[in-house]
């Protein structure tokens, strides 16, 4: 980080409050070493505004992509396959990585869509979360869409822009179409498709659950924000700092939330709002415990009238902006917390769509 990081971020906050969004964005980029400090006149277009994770430890290079294998290719190799592919729409080709479990022989299996955070990529996210190892054990496909620097300079999903928050538009439409493409190619079980993400990816996962309840049977939001938390840069920065002011959109999709209560990048109140979108008004069952790795946590479970658990909130005490129980092989991880990967897969297994779509 540049030595004057704090000064530049303070200046960005001041400029945002003053309504000078272009100069605020330039100051944020300068703080991350991605450009010069803002000049006396605006230097960047408002459409180029990005919301970034200001505690990023590193920026990974774009990984080289292999050619995708057809769905008919054998996948029963030891350990499964982690292959590269692309989905093409009117805006061009969009790359992804896909984990194919070794138990797959053409039968319908579940799919988890994993959305990385800012500055991350599919390989980094897979390594940090350990999702492929867990998916290998449970017989699950895992799709990792890759955000590009062309779409966002910090490779964030654009959760905070109004044109990327609705069904049939922007990144939600792209991600839903990519998911359906992979489902068709690998004969995925349409009743067992899930989406999860970290930070900006968690915010986009919440949007996808809200926009496509007929596609995703459950959602995992880790260190993210609820759908509708922001519609532009100022409201995004405000939500990240102190929690969304707007009431969360109600969703019928079962939701699991993980959030560190010492997160200084995305305020923990956002986790509360994300869970309220699914379980507002329901009295939870609450337990406090310590993970095998050392961190204490509070787990709250929310049940519907029929007794089904429709939402869970895990507050990880003392944890910052990091994937709980993750590996140091990837960025944004906290090895001391409870295993968010295993808990998400467990929660997902408890939920299926009522009928095939």
């Amino acid at each position: 980080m540049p030595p004057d990081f704090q000064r530049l971020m303070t200046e960005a906050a001041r400029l945002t409050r003053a309504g000078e969004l272009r100069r605020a964005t330039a100051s944020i980029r300068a703080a991350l070493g991605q450009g010069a400090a803002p000049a006396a006149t605006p230097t960047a277009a408002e459409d180029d505004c990005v919301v970034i994770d200001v505690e990023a430890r590193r920026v990974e290079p774009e990984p080289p992509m292999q050619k995708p294998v057809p769905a008919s290719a054998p996948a029963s190799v030891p350990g499964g396959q982690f292959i590269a592919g692309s989905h093409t729409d009117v805006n061009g080709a969009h790359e992804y990585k896909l984990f194919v479990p070794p138990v797959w022989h053409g039968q319908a299996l579940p799919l988890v869509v994993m959305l990385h955070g800012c500055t991350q990529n599919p390989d980094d996210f897979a390594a940090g979360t350990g999702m492929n190892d867990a998916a290998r054990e449970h017989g699950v496909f895992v799709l990792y869409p890759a955000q590009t620097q062309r779409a966002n300079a910090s490779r964030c999903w654009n959760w905070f822009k109004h044109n990327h928050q609705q069904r049939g538009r922007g990144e939600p439409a792209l991600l839903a179409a990519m998911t359906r493409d992979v489902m068709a190619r690998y004969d995925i079980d349409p009743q067992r498709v899930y989406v999860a993400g970290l930070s900006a990816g968690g915010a986009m996962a919440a949007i996808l659950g809200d926009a496509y309840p007929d596609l995703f049977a459950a959602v995992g939001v880790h260190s993210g924000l609820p759908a509708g938390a922001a519609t532009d840069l100022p409201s995004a920065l405000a939500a990240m700092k102190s929690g969304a002011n707007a009431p969360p959109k109600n969703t019928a999709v079962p939701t699991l939330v993980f959030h560190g209560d010492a997160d200084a990048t995305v305020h923990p109140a956002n986790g509360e709002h994300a869970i309220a979108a699914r379980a507002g008004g329901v009295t939870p069952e609450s337990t406090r415990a310590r993970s095998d790795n050392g961190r204490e946590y509070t787990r709250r479970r929310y049940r519907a009238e029929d007794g089904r658990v429709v939402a869970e909130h895990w507050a990880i005490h003392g944890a910052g902006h990091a994937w709980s129980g993750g590996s140091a092989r990837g960025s944004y991880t906290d090895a001391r917390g409870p295993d968010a990967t295993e808990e998400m897969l467990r929660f997902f297994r408890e939920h299926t769509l009522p009928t095939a779509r």
Side-chain angles (χ1 to χ4, degrees), residues 241-315:
K241 182 179 180 181
S242 56
N245 290 323
K249 296 181 179 180
N250 293 327
T251 177
V253 178
T255 302
L256 181 146
V257 170
F258 265 75
H259 213 119
D261 65 7
D263 191 335
T265 300
V266 176
H267 196 282
N270 289 293
E272 301 283 352
H273 293 158
I275 210 69
R278 179 61 185 95
V282 177
T283 301
E285 306 164 1
S286 182
T287 58
R288 182 164 178 142
R290 183 184 297 273
S291 75
D292 293 340
N293 300 322
R295 284 208 186 277
E296 291 190 354
Y297 61 89
T298 297
R299 176 191 185 191
R300 298 193 312 233
R301 305 175 78 198
Y302 299 80
R303 296 184 183 273
E305 290 184 0
D306 61 5
R308 292 178 304 115
V309 175
V310 294
E312 285 190 23
H313 181 271
W314 291 65

Side-chain angles (χ1 to χ4, degrees), residues 13-312:
R14 185 191 68 78
L15 290 168
T16 298
R17 288 193 297 270
E20 299 184 46
L21 304 185
R22 296 168 180 163
R23 296 182 66 202
T25 299
S27 187
I28 293 172
R29 288 174 173 161
L32 293 180
Q34 296 175 351
T41 56
T43 58
E46 185 173 335
D47 286 345
D48 291 334
C49 291
V50 294
V51 173
I52 43 79
D53 288 332
V54 297
E55 294 178 349
R57 289 199 280 271
R58 68 176 182 273
V59 176
E60 300 287 344
E62 296 284 355
M65 289 291 183
Q66 310 164 19
K67 292 182 179 179
V69 298
S72 58
S76 56
V77 297
Q81 292 184 345
F82 196 34
I83 61 176
S86 65
H87 168 76
T88 302
D89 65 7
V90 294
N91 297 313
H94 304 273
E95 297 178 332
Y96 60 77
K97 297 292 288 284
L98 179 70
F99 176 75
V100 182
V103 298
W104 182 68
H105 297 281
Q107 76 274 34
L109 293 176
L111 170 69
V112 175
V113 180
M114 289 284 284
L115 302 178
H116 62 73
C118 299
T119 77
Q120 295 181 314
N121 60 41
D123 290 294
D124 177 31
F125 197 38
T129 61
M131 183 60 78
N132 289 354
D133 293 335
R136 179 183 302 113
E137 229 179 279
H138 297 289
V140 176
F141 280 80
V142 189
L143 172 63
Y144 300 85
Q147 178 64 298
T148 67
Q149 288 184 307
R150 181 180 66 255
N152 185 290
S154 295
R155 289 200 292 270
C156 307
W157 299 103
N158 290 298
W159 61 272
F160 57 94
K161 291 187 176 181
H162 65 87
N163 54 326
H164 294 289
Q165 298 179 340
Q166 299 176 24
R167 185 184 183 98
R169 295 184 62 189
E171 289 172 1
L174 160 66
L175 292 166
M178 181 186 290
T179 300
R180 289 185 172 122
D181 182 29
V182 170
M183 290 172 65
R185 292 180 62 187
Y186 291 88
D187 195 24
I188 298 296
D189 183 346
Q191 292 179 267
R192 294 186 292 166
V193 178
Y194 312 94
V195 60
L198 172 68
S199 192
M204 184 54 71
I207 289 171
L208 283 172
D210 179 68
Y212 294 93
D214 54 336
L215 178 60
F216 299 105
V219 174
V221 180
H222 201 311
S223 307
L225 302 95
T231 55
D232 54 23
L233 181 61
S235 58
L237 291 174
M240 290 172 67
K241 182 179 180 181
S242 56
N245 290 323
K249 296 181 179 180
N250 293 327
T251 177
V253 178
T255 302
L256 181 146
V257 170
F258 265 75
H259 213 119
D261 65 7
D263 191 335
T265 300
V266 176
H267 196 282
N270 289 293
E272 301 283 352
H273 293 158
I275 210 69
R278 179 61 185 95
V282 177
T283 301
E285 306 164 1
S286 182
T287 58
R288 182 164 178 142
R290 183 184 297 273
S291 75
D292 293 340
N293 300 322
R295 284 208 186 277
E296 291 190 354
Y297 61 89
T298 297
R299 176 191 185 191
R300 298 193 312 233
R301 305 175 78 198
Y302 299 80
R303 296 184 183 273
E305 290 184 0
D306 61 5
R308 292 178 304 115
V309 175
V310 294
E312 285 190 23

